[in-house]
Amino acid sequence: MQTNDRDYVIKENDVIIENITMSSAAGGGEIPIASAVSSIGFYENIFSPFITGTMTFIDGTGFLRKFPVIGREFVTITFRSPLDPEVKTITLRVCGQASKLSDKTKRVSIATLRLISLAGYYDLTRKFSKSFKGTNAKIASDIVSEEYNGAVLEADETNGEYQYAFPYKRPSEMINQLCNLSYKDPDGVDTGYVFYETLSGFKFKNLSELYLQPDVDFFTTTKVNRPNSEMDDLTYSTHIARSLSYGKEFDRPKQILGGGFSSREILFDITRKDIQTFNTSYITDSFVPRLESDTMKPIVSANETESYSQSDIEIVNDCTSRYGEGYNDNFSVNRFKKINHALHNDTQRSIEISGNSKLEAGQTVSLQIMKDDTNTEIENEGESNPQESTKYLIKGLHHRIYLKADKSDEYKTSLELVRNFRGEPVPTSQNFSEEQ
């Protein structure tokens, strides 16, 4: 396919595909396969260390018989959405066949292949023991560089210096263990990092601070609120959510049992005959209530019982001989990690938009959701729902490109959006009168 430097949209779900090729670990060079690909998609998620994907391959020329696909093949796609000036290239390894159908009347086979990033496949084959010293961010960066072909890790700073000995773990398992013990705030209230891979590389990010980033784009569920007169209809269509679905909301049983609102951590040290107890409350000790933000409100009020009941209790062996002199002990911060992980998706929304190669997991976007209300209410107070129309974190996204014989290729992006706060304060009283 020809290189295209077009920077404007000519149709909905527009995409510019420069090439799709397949190669093999056995050698033999690359071959173009775009004419045989029906669709290709890949997934990013802040709780998944590697990009994964699928590709649907239509074989009517005996390709799979002459060149059998057995799990050592590489698929490379070069593409971008027209409004993204940066061309994206990703290479994934075939790691399995999800399904295969044969249409004997047309002598065609349709195979769906499973894909994983090169680092993800290598990680499956690598398990070793090693010790590290330094900040958690530095240790994570060293592991990524040493194990994933010199890759550079985009890492948030971490507090403290530590020493670890990892017994027979995969590189990703080592880094995920660091995620659970990492924080920036000296008090540890922001404990909990995430390690994940996007089109732009590996990330080691503070989960709580991801919500504080500026929005990279905006999306809306209405077709009538164009932000300025210079934006044409096709450009504006790239900001319209074609579908909006609501996931699980405020799953209180799961959040409470996971220590999301209150917990007690008991640390005992048999060498010093010492016991320490740490009680943690969402309202007084967690990240969002401490922000005192005008736009990010706590998900429960200060008088709710969940924040004071110690519904999760953990006993930890805090042996003094575990750490050498001059290194920190971070075992008392697990209680904060529980809050941040349990409540990270208190609100969930999923939308499908026109393909957008600028977006990646871990970014934030603004989502405007319309009220389900009477015309009078909308005329008086506006059509945007102030509780739901806020910033959201892209927890996961799915890029999917559909290739067609007439070259009218399409590109769609599905976003899994979450937030750990409310857009408006929790009401301190409720009135269910007929006027409400």
Side-chain angles (χ1 to χ4, degrees):
M1 297 186 180
Q2 298 296 317
T3 301
N4 196 325
D5 58 1
R6 174 165 53 87
D7 61 357
Y8 53 90
V9 181
I10 60 175
K11 63 184 181 73
E12 290 193 0
N13 304 320
D14 202 359
V15 62
I16 298 170
I17 305 173
E18 295 195 0
N19 210 357
I20 305 179
T21 62
M22 179 178 284
S23 59
S24 172
E30 289 186 338
I31 56 172
I33 60 169
S35 61
V37 174
S38 171
S39 72
I40 183 170
F42 36 93
Y43 312 82
E44 300 172 1
N45 191 293
I46 62 172
F47 289 100
S48 177
F50 306 109
I51 294 175
T52 59
T54 60
M55 180 178 73
T56 302
F57 193 89
I58 301 178
D59 181 21
T61 61
F63 177 87
L64 296 177
R65 178 180 58 82
K66 300 171 187 175
F67 306 98
V69 176
I70 58 175
R72 60 182 181 181
E73 295 74 31
F74 307 103
V75 176
T76 300
I77 177 171
T78 302
F79 74 104
R80 67 180 178 90
S81 50
L83 300 180
D84 183 3
E86 182 181 348
V87 176
K88 302 295 195 298
T89 299
I90 181 172
T91 299
L92 302 170
R93 178 163 181 156
V94 176
C95 62
Q97 180 174 283
S99 64
K100 185 176 181 180
L101 302 173
S102 295
D103 187 340
K104 298 304 181 183
T105 61
K106 298 180 181 179
R107 294 188 179 181
V108 169
S109 294
I110 304 174
T112 298
L113 304 176
R114 294 170 53 211
L115 309 172
I116 190 171
S117 70
L118 303 187
Y121 192 88
Y122 173 80
D123 189 81
L124 295 172
T125 67
R126 181 85 167 118
K127 209 167 191 180
F128 62 99
S129 297
K130 191 170 182 178
S131 61
F132 295 91
K133 296 180 180 181
T135 67
N136 286 354
K138 177 64 166 57
I139 294 171
S141 297
D142 289 345
I143 295 173
V144 167
S145 177
E146 293 171 10
E147 298 299 322
Y148 303 141
N149 198 28
V152 176
L153 178 68
E154 184 181 320
D156 285 347
E157 294 180 357
T158 55
N159 192 295
E161 298 235 347
Y162 304 92
Q163 56 179 354
Y164 303 97
F166 296 106
Y168 295 105
K169 291 183 178 291
R170 294 186 174 87
S172 62
E173 292 176 328
M174 296 179 183
I175 298 174
N176 282 332
Q177 185 172 331
L178 294 175
C179 287
N180 293 331
L181 299 171
S182 296
Y183 57 93
K184 292 178 71 173
D185 187 286
D187 293 335
V189 296
D190 59 354
T191 299
Y193 277 49
V194 283
F195 170 60
Y196 57 100
E197 183 182 20
T198 70
L199 286 176
S200 64
F202 287 103
K203 319 288 182 182
F204 183 75
K205 293 291 184 179
N206 183 289
L207 175 60
S208 297
E209 290 201 346
L210 286 178
Y211 297 92
L212 304 181
Q213 302 173 100
D215 309 338
V216 298
D217 212 334
F218 76 93
F219 299 99
T220 178
T221 58
T222 181
K223 297 183 178 181
V224 297
N225 278 349
R226 190 182 307 172
N228 62 70
S229 59
E230 296 180 358
M231 183 178 290
D232 60 73
D233 289 342
L234 285 173
T235 300
Y236 181 62
S237 72
T238 64
H239 297 278
I240 296 175
R242 281 65 182 289
S243 64
L244 169 68
S245 60
Y246 291 64
K248 289 183 178 179
E249 297 285 310
F250 50 91
D251 190 349
R252 292 294 183 261
K254 183 177 180 180
Q255 293 169 341
I256 292 171
L257 293 175
F261 293 104
S262 61
S263 65
R264 173 175 296 172
E265 196 166 58
I266 303 172
L267 275 65
F268 71 92
D269 184 343
I270 59 174
T271 62
R272 294 181 302 177
K273 296 182 175 59
D274 180 57
I275 294 179
Q276 298 183 69
T277 300
F278 298 93
N279 294 326
T280 308
S281 165
Y282 168 76
I283 286 297
T284 59
D285 303 314
S286 67
F287 189 78
V288 171
R290 284 192 177 191
L291 286 176
E292 298 183 352
S293 168
D294 292 333
T295 57
M296 300 172 63
K297 300 299 182 181
I299 61 176
V300 296
S301 65
N303 57 3
E304 303 291 339
T305 59
E306 294 97 324
S307 292
Y308 309 101
S309 59
Q310 268 85 51
S311 56
D312 178 77
I313 299 176
E314 183 176 10
I315 301 175
V316 180
N317 180 3
D318 188 31
C319 180
T320 54
S321 62
R322 186 179 61 240
Y323 293 99
E325 185 177 351
Y327 290 93
N328 300 98
D329 183 339
N330 55 4
F331 264 53
S332 64
V333 298
N334 187 50
R335 54 206 170 106
F336 299 116
K337 187 270 292 186
K338 289 181 179 179
I339 292 177
N340 296 326
H341 276 244
L343 306 181
H344 83 276
N345 59 346
D346 186 69
T347 303
Q348 300 186 70
R349 301 286 182 266
S350 296
I351 62 173
E352 182 183 278
I353 59 173
S354 180
N356 190 330
S357 59
K358 293 188 292 185
L359 297 179
E360 62 182 34
Q363 296 175 330
T364 61
V365 296
S366 173
L367 178 62
Q368 184 184 38
I369 298 177
M370 300 301 106
K371 289 179 180 176
D372 296 323
D373 217 327
T374 63
N375 290 337
T376 301
E377 180 75 16
I378 290 175
E379 289 174 2
N380 292 336
E381 298 188 7
E383 63 177 351
S384 179
N385 185 328
Q387 155 57 12
E388 297 190 21
S389 299
T390 65
K391 174 193 300 185
Y392 286 82
L393 172 65
I394 303 177
K395 176 181 178 179
L397 83 168
H398 174 201
H399 295 292
R400 194 86 200 171
I401 297 174
Y402 302 87
L403 295 96
K404 301 182 180 181
D406 62 1
K407 307 302 181 184
S408 59
D409 306 329
E410 292 191 341
Y411 174 23
K412 299 179 181 180
T413 299
S414 299
L415 302 179
E416 183 182 350
L417 305 175
V418 297
R419 67 180 188 183
N420 62 352
F421 59 91
R422 287 175 53 88
E424 293 185 321
V426 175
T428 55
S429 63
Q430 206 79 32
N431 182 8
F432 292 105
S433 63
E434 293 183 2
E435 288 78 19
Q436 290 290 321

